[in-house]
């Protein structure tokens, strides 16, 4: 959340290289994929859906607000699952199959990866990098 909230407004199309996702598309990818995977595990199946950023998600604050509204119910759904439901094997596009709980682990790694990617965008965009696992150059440790 802190990294998403640190994305400065005014340059939603920023990307450090032509092959990179634009900043706002990356914000949307982070929040929407996390909710997607949580709900997919709760539903017991991975069904691909449209992932294009909605027109109403124009700023990082829009993405944070959407995330804060959608995360608690998705987490609650997963927390209510039985052990058997978490062990149910789920496939993805005929490529890979694994227990539902492993999809949660994969999603955590996915978010960590893209959060790191987005944190690299911040300074070139004129923003500041928040402390993620501790202090950062822009958010030093307070004694």
């Amino acid at each position: 959340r802190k990294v998403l909230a640190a994305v400065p407004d005014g340059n939603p199309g920023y990307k450090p290289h032509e092959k990179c996702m634009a900043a706002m598309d990356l914000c949307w990818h982070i929040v929407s994929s996390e909710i997607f995977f949580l709900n997919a595990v709760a539903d017991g199946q991975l069904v691909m859906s449209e992932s294009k950023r909605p027109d109403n998600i124009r700023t990082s604050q829009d993405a944070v607000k959407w995330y804060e509204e959608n995360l608690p119910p998705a987490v609650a759904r997963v927390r209510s699952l039985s052990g058997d439901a978490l062990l149910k094997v789920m496939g993805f596009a005929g490529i890979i199959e694994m227990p539902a709980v492993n999809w949660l682990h994969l999603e955590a790694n996915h978010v960590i990866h893209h959060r790191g990617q987005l944190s690299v965008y911040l300074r070139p965009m004129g923003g500041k990098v928040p402390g993620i696992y501790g202090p950062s150059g822009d958010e030093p440790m307070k004694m």
Side-chain angles (χ1 to χ4, degrees), residues 3 14 20 45 47 50 60 64 69 79 89 96 106 120 124 127:
V3 172
Y14 172 80
C20 295
Q45 61 181 343
V47 178
E50 178 63 43
S60 62
V64 168
E69 290 169 356
R79 284 186 173 159
V89 174
I96 186 170
L106 183 138
V120 172

Side-chain angles (χ1 to χ4, degrees), residues 76-90:
R77 292 185 70 211
V78 170
R79 284 186 173 159
S80 72
L81 294 175
S82 68
D84 287 341
L86 290 169
L87 292 175
K88 177 185 175 187
V89 174
M90 296 171 52

Side-chain angles (χ1 to χ4, degrees), residues 20-72:
C20 295
M21 256 190 265
M24 275 311 306
D25 292 333
L26 184 53
C27 286
W28 176 248
H29 179 68
I30 290 168
V31 299
S32 65
S33 66
E34 185 161 6
I35 304 306
F36 166 80
F37 274 97
L38 289 168
N39 284 324
V41 166
D43 293 340
Q45 61 181 343
L46 290 155
V47 178
M48 289 305 297
S49 60
E50 178 63 43
S51 61
K52 182 179 176 282
R53 179 170 47 96
D55 292 337
N56 66 325
I57 306 294
R58 292 183 294 276
T59 69
S60 62
Q61 297 311 310
D62 294 337
V64 168
K65 182 177 184 249
W66 185 91
Y67 182 69
E68 289 175 341
E69 290 169 356
N70 288 277
L71 184 65

